[in-house]
Amino acid sequence: MSEPTMSQENTSQRNTTTGVGGLHHVTAIASRPQGNVDFYAGALGLRLVKKTVNFDDPGTYHLYYGDEIGRPGTLLTFFPWSMARRGTRGSGETTVVSLAVADGSLGRWIERLDRHEVEREAPRNRYGRPAMRLRDPDGMLLELVETAPSDAEGIVGVAGVAFTLRNLDPTSELLTGTLGMKWTEDGSDRRRFTAGPAGIFVDLVAAPLTEPGRMGAGTIHHVAWRADDEAHQRDLRGALVEGGLGVTPVQDRRYFESIYFREPGGVLFEIATDGPGFLRDESPEELGGKLRLPPWLEGRRGQIEGLLPELATSGVEGGTG
């Protein structure tokens, strides 16, 4: 993905914005592709809903996990680079991704994670909800939070994210301003916001003396927020530019349209449209089965497939907590 560049496009035709509709997806960096599939589709039971490549680096897979059809808000995506060095968490980064599981299910999750030999911590209450932290094979910090109905099966979506920042104020202003989030709670070193109809949470954690993180395997590349459609995205983009942020032009990601910018604390944000979605080139039953390339890369399919490592996906999908 290209780094954001400053844009001075005219925003005179912008209408009013309505804030973002919640989380669209979270994208992280991994090392071994097979280890990534084995963990997220196997140990966590998510569905691999799209197997494609990084459009800006087609020699690398881009793997999407989510619910049965990859709805926005359920998606975790990864760039697995086999030779990637492990990154370090620090300031200016997304440092925790929380996943929603059913009320009363953490006991079953402990059994499942222990069976898969997943590194985890003991459950504890966070903001009145039982939660448990664990690490993926690259050390990425995840959290299971009981926020879904008790009859829900498996992981039902992304419940929230946490950003570690040196100064919380500028990011707080952006979240409650252009992005339309609600500031709900304030601790001594932590602020909580909610976004969208589903009420996903965003925690800002103060770390004024913490060094910036180093990108690598086990770190989170960017967080994407939902826009209803291209008009909504255009309105948000105009408001961000008007607010002095450098925002990329719209980029075609085949399954959604995207813009990128860095929020004042340094975290890379994306705003992605809900459509057209993952069913544009696969049926619900076929999702994630074959390598899908955008039309502009189909002519290089042979070369790209020769660069990508073998990836076994059968026998590891599905399962519940």
Side-chain angles (χ1 to χ4, degrees):
M1 184 185 64
S2 303
E3 286 292 304
T5 56
M6 291 297 295
S7 171
Q8 301 297 327
E9 288 191 1
N10 191 315
T11 60
S12 60
Q13 297 182 10
R14 176 175 58 82
N15 297 316
T16 57
T17 62
T18 57
V20 296
L23 272 169
H24 188 285
H25 66 266
V26 176
T27 294
I29 297 171
S31 55
R32 292 189 316 113
Q34 190 63 59
N36 188 259
V37 170
D38 291 345
F39 181 79
Y40 285 95
L44 296 191
L46 293 170
R47 185 179 186 191
L48 180 63
V49 292
K50 191 63 64 179
K51 182 168 58 175
T52 183
V53 294
N54 181 339
F55 294 170
D56 302 315
D57 179 15
T60 302
Y61 280 117
H62 193 174
L63 305 177
Y64 290 80
Y65 305 89
D67 70 359
E68 69 274 16
I69 59 170
R71 293 181 178 87
T74 70
L75 298 167
L76 285 178
T77 98
F78 291 87
F79 301 135
W81 296 323
S82 297
M83 303 301 290
R85 297 176 61 181
R86 182 166 291 194
T88 58
R89 284 186 290 276
S91 63
E93 283 195 325
T94 308
T95 43
V96 185
V97 178
S98 299
L99 305 172
V101 297
D103 285 337
S105 69
L106 281 190
R108 299 198 304 276
W109 276 104
I110 288 172
E111 294 177 3
R112 181 180 181 121
L113 296 176
D114 288 351
R115 190 166 66 248
H116 286 273
E117 300 181 339
V118 175
E119 183 183 358
R120 64 170 179 83
E121 299 176 3
R124 56 180 175 171
N125 270 354
R126 291 179 59 78
Y127 290 99
R129 291 279 184 177
M132 179 172 62
R133 289 189 169 181
L134 56 138
R135 288 171 176 76
D136 82 355
D138 293 303
M140 181 172 140
L141 193 55
L142 300 165
E143 184 179 59
L144 301 182
V145 187
E146 292 187 355
T147 56
S150 58
D151 59 351
E153 294 188 355
I155 292 168
V156 301
V158 181
V161 289
F163 305 138
T164 297
L165 304 170
R166 288 187 166 183
N167 182 355
L168 305 189
D169 292 338
T171 302
S172 299
E173 182 177 347
L174 174 68
L175 297 186
T176 56
T178 303
L179 301 188
M181 300 184 192
K182 295 180 181 178
W183 186 341
T184 60
E185 297 187 57
D186 194 358
S188 59
D189 61 351
R190 178 183 288 259
R191 298 173 184 172
R192 171 159 288 200
F193 302 79
T194 59
I200 63 96
F201 60 81
V202 179
D203 288 347
L204 305 188
V205 181
L209 302 179
T210 301
E211 293 296 316
R214 187 184 72 239
M215 192 67 72
T219 63
I220 295 165
H221 192 268
H222 65 268
V223 170
W225 308 103
R226 294 177 65 175
D228 297 338
D229 50 31
E230 293 177 17
H232 185 198
Q233 183 188 64
R234 184 171 59 249
D235 286 350
L236 288 165
R237 185 179 188 283
L240 292 166
V241 171
E242 194 172 75
L245 293 173
V247 188
T248 67
V250 176
Q251 298 184 35
D252 181 0
R253 297 310 187 192
R254 180 65 172 161
Y255 309 106
F256 41 84
E257 301 284 336
S258 297
I259 58 175
Y260 301 88
F261 63 100
R262 287 198 185 274
E263 57 83 28
V267 181
L268 184 60
F269 280 3
E270 174 182 353
I271 294 178
T273 57
D274 279 0
F278 294 110
L279 298 179
R280 73 175 304 180
D281 60 2
E282 288 181 300
S283 69
E285 295 77 19
E286 294 171 325
L287 283 174
K290 295 181 179 178
L291 179 68
R292 298 291 173 175
L293 298 177
W296 61 87
L297 291 177
E298 274 295 348
R300 297 172 55 191
R301 176 174 283 273
Q303 176 193 10
I304 290 170
E305 288 182 335
L307 291 172
L308 296 173
E310 294 289 333
L311 193 60
T313 58
S314 61
V316 295
E317 297 182 17
T320 67

